Short mmCIF file of all heavy atoms in Angstrom, two decimals:
data_model
loop_
_atom_site.label_atom_id
_atom_site.label_comp_id
_atom_site.label_asym_id
_atom_site.label_seq_id
_atom_site.Cartn_x
_atom_site.Cartn_y
_atom_site.Cartn_z
N ALA L 94 121.08 77.25 124.40
CA ALA L 94 120.14 77.59 125.47
C ALA L 94 120.57 78.81 126.26
O ALA L 94 119.74 79.47 126.88
CB ALA L 94 119.97 76.40 126.41
N ASP L 95 121.86 79.16 126.25
CA ASP L 95 122.33 80.32 127.00
C ASP L 95 122.27 81.60 126.17
O ASP L 95 122.90 82.60 126.51
CB ASP L 95 123.75 80.10 127.52
CG ASP L 95 124.71 79.73 126.41
OD1 ASP L 95 124.27 79.62 125.25
OD2 ASP L 95 125.91 79.55 126.71
N THR L 96 121.50 81.55 125.08
CA THR L 96 121.32 82.71 124.21
C THR L 96 119.94 83.32 124.44
O THR L 96 118.97 82.59 124.65
CB THR L 96 121.47 82.31 122.73
OG1 THR L 96 122.77 81.77 122.53
CG2 THR L 96 121.28 83.51 121.81
N VAL L 97 119.86 84.64 124.41
CA VAL L 97 118.58 85.33 124.53
C VAL L 97 118.05 85.57 123.12
O VAL L 97 118.75 86.13 122.27
CB VAL L 97 118.72 86.67 125.29
CG1 VAL L 97 117.36 87.36 125.39
CG2 VAL L 97 119.31 86.43 126.67
N LEU L 98 116.82 85.16 122.87
CA LEU L 98 116.19 85.26 121.57
C LEU L 98 115.14 86.36 121.61
O LEU L 98 114.15 86.26 122.34
CB LEU L 98 115.57 83.92 121.17
CG LEU L 98 114.99 83.78 119.77
CD1 LEU L 98 116.05 84.04 118.72
CD2 LEU L 98 114.39 82.40 119.58
N VAL L 99 115.35 87.43 120.83
CA VAL L 99 114.42 88.56 120.78
C VAL L 99 113.71 88.51 119.43
O VAL L 99 114.35 88.67 118.38
CB VAL L 99 115.15 89.90 120.96
CG1 VAL L 99 114.15 91.06 120.92
CG2 VAL L 99 115.92 89.92 122.27
N ILE L 100 112.40 88.29 119.45
CA ILE L 100 111.60 88.20 118.21
C ILE L 100 110.63 89.38 118.20
O ILE L 100 109.62 89.37 118.89
CB ILE L 100 110.84 86.87 118.13
CG1 ILE L 100 111.80 85.69 118.22
CG2 ILE L 100 110.04 86.81 116.83
CD1 ILE L 100 111.11 84.34 118.16
N ASP L 101 110.97 90.39 117.42
CA ASP L 101 110.12 91.57 117.30
C ASP L 101 109.37 91.52 115.97
O ASP L 101 109.50 92.40 115.11
CB ASP L 101 110.97 92.84 117.39
CG ASP L 101 110.12 94.11 117.45
OD1 ASP L 101 108.91 93.99 117.74
OD2 ASP L 101 110.65 95.20 117.19
N THR L 102 108.57 90.46 115.78
CA THR L 102 107.79 90.26 114.55
C THR L 102 106.40 89.77 114.92
O THR L 102 106.10 89.50 116.09
CB THR L 102 108.46 89.23 113.62
OG1 THR L 102 108.34 87.92 114.21
CG2 THR L 102 109.93 89.54 113.40
N ASP L 103 105.55 89.63 113.90
CA ASP L 103 104.21 89.09 114.11
C ASP L 103 104.18 87.57 114.02
O ASP L 103 103.11 86.97 114.15
CB ASP L 103 103.24 89.67 113.06
CG ASP L 103 102.95 91.14 113.33
OD1 ASP L 103 102.88 91.50 114.52
OD2 ASP L 103 102.79 91.92 112.37
N ARG L 104 105.33 86.95 113.73
CA ARG L 104 105.48 85.49 113.72
C ARG L 104 104.52 84.80 112.76
O ARG L 104 104.02 83.71 113.03
CB ARG L 104 105.28 84.92 115.15
CG ARG L 104 106.24 85.46 116.18
CD ARG L 104 105.97 84.86 117.55
NE ARG L 104 104.60 85.13 117.98
CZ ARG L 104 104.21 86.28 118.54
NH1 ARG L 104 105.08 87.25 118.74
NH2 ARG L 104 102.95 86.45 118.90
N TYR L 105 104.26 85.39 111.61
CA TYR L 105 103.36 84.77 110.65
C TYR L 105 103.97 83.52 110.02
O TYR L 105 103.24 82.65 109.54
CB TYR L 105 102.99 85.78 109.55
CG TYR L 105 101.97 86.80 110.00
CD1 TYR L 105 102.32 88.13 110.15
CD2 TYR L 105 100.67 86.43 110.29
CE1 TYR L 105 101.39 89.07 110.56
CE2 TYR L 105 99.73 87.36 110.71
CZ TYR L 105 100.10 88.68 110.84
OH TYR L 105 99.18 89.61 111.26
N THR L 106 105.29 83.44 109.95
CA THR L 106 105.95 82.26 109.38
C THR L 106 106.32 81.23 110.43
O THR L 106 106.94 80.22 110.11
CB THR L 106 107.22 82.68 108.62
OG1 THR L 106 108.11 83.34 109.53
CG2 THR L 106 106.88 83.63 107.49
N LEU L 107 105.95 81.48 111.69
CA LEU L 107 106.25 80.54 112.76
C LEU L 107 105.11 79.53 112.85
O LEU L 107 104.06 79.80 113.42
CB LEU L 107 106.43 81.28 114.09
CG LEU L 107 107.16 80.53 115.21
CD1 LEU L 107 108.59 80.23 114.80
CD2 LEU L 107 107.15 81.35 116.49
N SER L 108 105.31 78.35 112.27
CA SER L 108 104.28 77.32 112.24
C SER L 108 104.09 76.69 113.61
O SER L 108 104.82 76.98 114.56
CB SER L 108 104.65 76.24 111.21
OG SER L 108 105.86 75.60 111.58
N ARG L 109 103.12 75.79 113.69
CA ARG L 109 102.86 75.11 114.96
C ARG L 109 104.05 74.23 115.35
O ARG L 109 104.42 74.17 116.53
CB ARG L 109 101.59 74.26 114.83
CG ARG L 109 101.13 73.63 116.15
CD ARG L 109 99.84 72.87 115.93
NE ARG L 109 98.81 73.74 115.41
CZ ARG L 109 98.03 74.53 116.17
NH1 ARG L 109 98.20 74.54 117.47
NH2 ARG L 109 97.10 75.28 115.61
N GLN L 110 104.65 73.57 114.37
CA GLN L 110 105.80 72.73 114.69
C GLN L 110 106.98 73.57 115.19
O GLN L 110 107.67 73.21 116.15
CB GLN L 110 106.22 71.92 113.45
CG GLN L 110 105.23 70.86 113.03
CD GLN L 110 104.01 71.43 112.30
OE1 GLN L 110 104.01 72.62 111.93
NE2 GLN L 110 103.00 70.61 112.09
N LYS L 111 107.22 74.72 114.53
CA LYS L 111 108.32 75.57 114.98
C LYS L 111 108.02 76.19 116.34
O LYS L 111 108.93 76.38 117.16
CB LYS L 111 108.56 76.68 113.95
CG LYS L 111 109.20 76.20 112.65
CD LYS L 111 109.51 77.36 111.73
CE LYS L 111 110.20 76.88 110.47
NZ LYS L 111 110.53 78.01 109.56
N SER L 112 106.75 76.48 116.60
CA SER L 112 106.38 77.02 117.92
C SER L 112 106.63 75.99 119.01
O SER L 112 107.13 76.33 120.10
CB SER L 112 104.91 77.45 117.91
OG SER L 112 104.68 78.47 116.96
N GLU L 113 106.30 74.73 118.75
CA GLU L 113 106.56 73.69 119.73
C GLU L 113 108.06 73.51 119.95
O GLU L 113 108.52 73.31 121.09
CB GLU L 113 105.93 72.38 119.25
CG GLU L 113 104.40 72.42 119.21
CD GLU L 113 103.81 71.16 118.62
OE1 GLU L 113 104.60 70.30 118.16
OE2 GLU L 113 102.57 71.02 118.63
N ALA L 114 108.84 73.58 118.87
CA ALA L 114 110.30 73.47 119.03
C ALA L 114 110.85 74.66 119.81
O ALA L 114 111.78 74.51 120.62
CB ALA L 114 110.96 73.38 117.65
N LEU L 115 110.28 75.84 119.59
CA LEU L 115 110.73 77.02 120.32
C LEU L 115 110.42 76.91 121.81
O LEU L 115 111.25 77.25 122.67
CB LEU L 115 110.07 78.26 119.72
CG LEU L 115 110.43 79.61 120.35
CD1 LEU L 115 111.93 79.85 120.26
CD2 LEU L 115 109.67 80.74 119.65
N LEU L 116 109.23 76.40 122.14
CA LEU L 116 108.88 76.22 123.55
C LEU L 116 109.75 75.16 124.20
O LEU L 116 110.11 75.27 125.38
CB LEU L 116 107.40 75.85 123.66
CG LEU L 116 106.41 76.97 123.30
CD1 LEU L 116 104.98 76.45 123.39
CD2 LEU L 116 106.60 78.17 124.21
N ALA L 117 110.10 74.10 123.45
CA ALA L 117 111.01 73.09 123.99
C ALA L 117 112.39 73.69 124.24
O ALA L 117 113.06 73.35 125.23
CB ALA L 117 111.10 71.91 123.02
N TRP L 118 112.81 74.59 123.36
CA TRP L 118 114.10 75.27 123.56
C TRP L 118 114.06 76.13 124.83
O TRP L 118 115.03 76.15 125.60
CB TRP L 118 114.40 76.12 122.34
CG TRP L 118 115.60 77.01 122.48
CD1 TRP L 118 116.90 76.67 122.33
CD2 TRP L 118 115.59 78.41 122.83
NE1 TRP L 118 117.73 77.76 122.55
CE2 TRP L 118 116.94 78.84 122.85
CE3 TRP L 118 114.58 79.33 123.11
CZ2 TRP L 118 117.29 80.15 123.16
CZ3 TRP L 118 114.94 80.63 123.41
CH2 TRP L 118 116.26 81.04 123.44
N VAL L 119 112.95 76.81 125.06
CA VAL L 119 112.81 77.61 126.28
C VAL L 119 112.83 76.70 127.50
O VAL L 119 113.47 77.00 128.52
CB VAL L 119 111.52 78.45 126.23
CG1 VAL L 119 111.30 79.17 127.56
CG2 VAL L 119 111.58 79.46 125.10
N ALA L 120 112.12 75.57 127.44
CA ALA L 120 112.07 74.65 128.58
C ALA L 120 113.45 74.11 128.94
O ALA L 120 113.72 73.76 130.09
CB ALA L 120 111.12 73.50 128.28
N ASN L 121 114.36 74.07 127.96
CA ASN L 121 115.71 73.59 128.23
C ASN L 121 116.63 74.68 128.78
O ASN L 121 117.83 74.44 128.96
CB ASN L 121 116.32 73.02 126.95
CG ASN L 121 115.68 71.71 126.55
OD1 ASN L 121 115.21 70.95 127.40
ND2 ASN L 121 115.65 71.44 125.25
N GLY L 122 116.08 75.86 129.03
CA GLY L 122 116.88 76.91 129.63
C GLY L 122 117.05 78.14 128.78
O GLY L 122 117.86 79.02 129.12
N GLY L 123 116.30 78.25 127.68
CA GLY L 123 116.40 79.42 126.82
C GLY L 123 115.56 80.58 127.33
O GLY L 123 114.63 80.41 128.12
N HIS L 124 115.87 81.77 126.86
CA HIS L 124 115.13 82.98 127.24
C HIS L 124 114.59 83.62 125.96
O HIS L 124 115.35 84.02 125.08
CB HIS L 124 116.04 83.96 127.98
CG HIS L 124 115.30 85.19 128.46
ND1 HIS L 124 115.97 86.30 128.95
CD2 HIS L 124 113.98 85.48 128.53
CE1 HIS L 124 115.08 87.22 129.29
NE2 HIS L 124 113.87 86.74 129.04
N LEU L 125 113.27 83.71 125.88
CA LEU L 125 112.59 84.28 124.72
C LEU L 125 111.96 85.60 125.11
O LEU L 125 111.24 85.70 126.11
CB LEU L 125 111.52 83.31 124.21
CG LEU L 125 110.56 83.86 123.14
CD1 LEU L 125 111.32 84.20 121.86
CD2 LEU L 125 109.43 82.87 122.86
N ILE L 126 112.23 86.64 124.31
CA ILE L 126 111.59 87.94 124.45
C ILE L 126 110.82 88.22 123.17
O ILE L 126 111.42 88.27 122.09
CB ILE L 126 112.61 89.06 124.71
CG1 ILE L 126 113.39 88.78 126.00
CG2 ILE L 126 111.94 90.42 124.78
CD1 ILE L 126 114.50 89.80 126.27
N THR L 127 109.54 88.39 123.26
CA THR L 127 108.72 88.64 122.08
C THR L 127 107.53 89.50 122.47
O THR L 127 107.38 89.90 123.63
CB THR L 127 108.27 87.32 121.44
OG1 THR L 127 107.63 87.59 120.19
CG2 THR L 127 107.32 86.55 122.34
N ARG L 128 106.68 89.78 121.50
CA ARG L 128 105.52 90.64 121.72
C ARG L 128 104.29 89.99 121.12
O ARG L 128 104.37 89.01 120.36
CB ARG L 128 105.74 92.00 121.09
CG ARG L 128 105.97 91.96 119.57
CD ARG L 128 105.91 93.33 118.96
NE ARG L 128 106.30 93.34 117.56
CZ ARG L 128 105.50 93.02 116.55
NH1 ARG L 128 104.26 92.62 116.80
NH2 ARG L 128 105.92 93.07 115.31
N THR L 129 103.14 90.57 121.44
CA THR L 129 101.91 90.09 120.85
C THR L 129 101.80 90.58 119.41
O THR L 129 102.48 91.54 119.01
CB THR L 129 100.69 90.58 121.66
OG1 THR L 129 99.52 89.92 121.19
CG2 THR L 129 100.50 92.08 121.50
N ARG L 130 100.98 89.94 118.65
CA ARG L 130 100.85 90.28 117.24
C ARG L 130 100.08 91.59 117.08
O ARG L 130 99.04 91.80 117.70
CB ARG L 130 100.12 89.16 116.49
CG ARG L 130 99.93 89.41 115.01
CD ARG L 130 99.27 88.23 114.35
NE ARG L 130 100.09 87.03 114.40
CZ ARG L 130 99.71 85.85 113.92
NH1 ARG L 130 98.51 85.70 113.39
NH2 ARG L 130 100.52 84.81 113.99
N TYR L 131 100.64 92.48 116.24
CA TYR L 131 99.96 93.74 115.98
C TYR L 131 98.73 93.49 115.10
O TYR L 131 98.72 92.58 114.27
CB TYR L 131 100.88 94.73 115.27
CG TYR L 131 102.02 95.23 116.13
CD1 TYR L 131 103.15 95.80 115.56
CD2 TYR L 131 101.96 95.15 117.51
CE1 TYR L 131 104.19 96.27 116.34
CE2 TYR L 131 103.00 95.63 118.30
CZ TYR L 131 104.11 96.18 117.71
OH TYR L 131 105.13 96.63 118.49
N LEU L 132 97.73 94.30 115.26
CA LEU L 132 96.55 94.22 114.42
C LEU L 132 96.76 95.11 113.21
O LEU L 132 97.24 96.24 113.32
CB LEU L 132 95.30 94.66 115.19
CG LEU L 132 94.98 93.82 116.44
CD1 LEU L 132 93.73 94.34 117.11
CD2 LEU L 132 94.81 92.37 116.06
N THR L 133 96.38 94.60 112.04
CA THR L 133 96.64 95.32 110.79
C THR L 133 95.44 96.09 110.28
O THR L 133 95.60 96.99 109.48
CB THR L 133 97.10 94.33 109.71
OG1 THR L 133 96.09 93.31 109.54
CG2 THR L 133 98.40 93.66 110.13
N ASN L 134 94.24 95.74 110.70
CA ASN L 134 93.07 96.46 110.21
C ASN L 134 91.97 96.40 111.25
O ASN L 134 92.05 95.70 112.26
CB ASN L 134 92.59 95.87 108.87
CG ASN L 134 92.44 94.36 108.94
OD1 ASN L 134 91.81 93.84 109.85
ND2 ASN L 134 93.03 93.66 107.98
N ASP L 135 90.89 97.16 111.00
CA ASP L 135 89.79 97.25 111.96
C ASP L 135 89.02 95.94 112.07
O ASP L 135 88.58 95.57 113.14
CB ASP L 135 88.83 98.38 111.54
CG ASP L 135 89.51 99.74 111.61
OD1 ASP L 135 90.48 99.86 112.37
OD2 ASP L 135 89.07 100.67 110.91
N SER L 136 88.86 95.22 110.97
CA SER L 136 88.12 93.97 111.02
C SER L 136 88.84 92.95 111.88
O SER L 136 88.21 92.15 112.59
CB SER L 136 87.92 93.42 109.60
OG SER L 136 89.17 93.17 108.98
N GLU L 137 90.18 92.97 111.86
CA GLU L 137 90.95 92.05 112.70
C GLU L 137 90.84 92.46 114.17
O GLU L 137 90.82 91.62 115.06
CB GLU L 137 92.41 92.06 112.27
CG GLU L 137 93.25 90.98 112.91
CD GLU L 137 94.68 90.98 112.40
OE1 GLU L 137 94.99 91.85 111.57
OE2 GLU L 137 95.45 90.13 112.86
N ALA L 138 90.74 93.76 114.43
CA ALA L 138 90.61 94.23 115.80
C ALA L 138 89.26 93.87 116.40
O ALA L 138 89.14 93.68 117.61
CB ALA L 138 90.80 95.75 115.85
#
Side-chain angles (χ1 to χ4, degrees):
D95 54 359
T96 301
V97 180
L98 186 60
V99 181
I100 304 179
D101 187 17
T102 70
D103 289 325
R104 301 179 302 278
Y105 284 111
T106 59
L107 198 63
S108 62
R109 187 177 302 276
Q110 291 77 11
K111 288 185 177 181
S112 298
E113 294 175 355
L115 181 58
L116 291 177
W118 172 81
V119 174
N121 289 330
H124 183 192
L125 170 64
I126 300 176
T127 188
R128 60 169 173 82
T129 189
R130 180 177 296 178
Y131 291 160
L132 300 180
T133 57
N134 50 50
D135 295 336
S136 60
E137 190 177 1

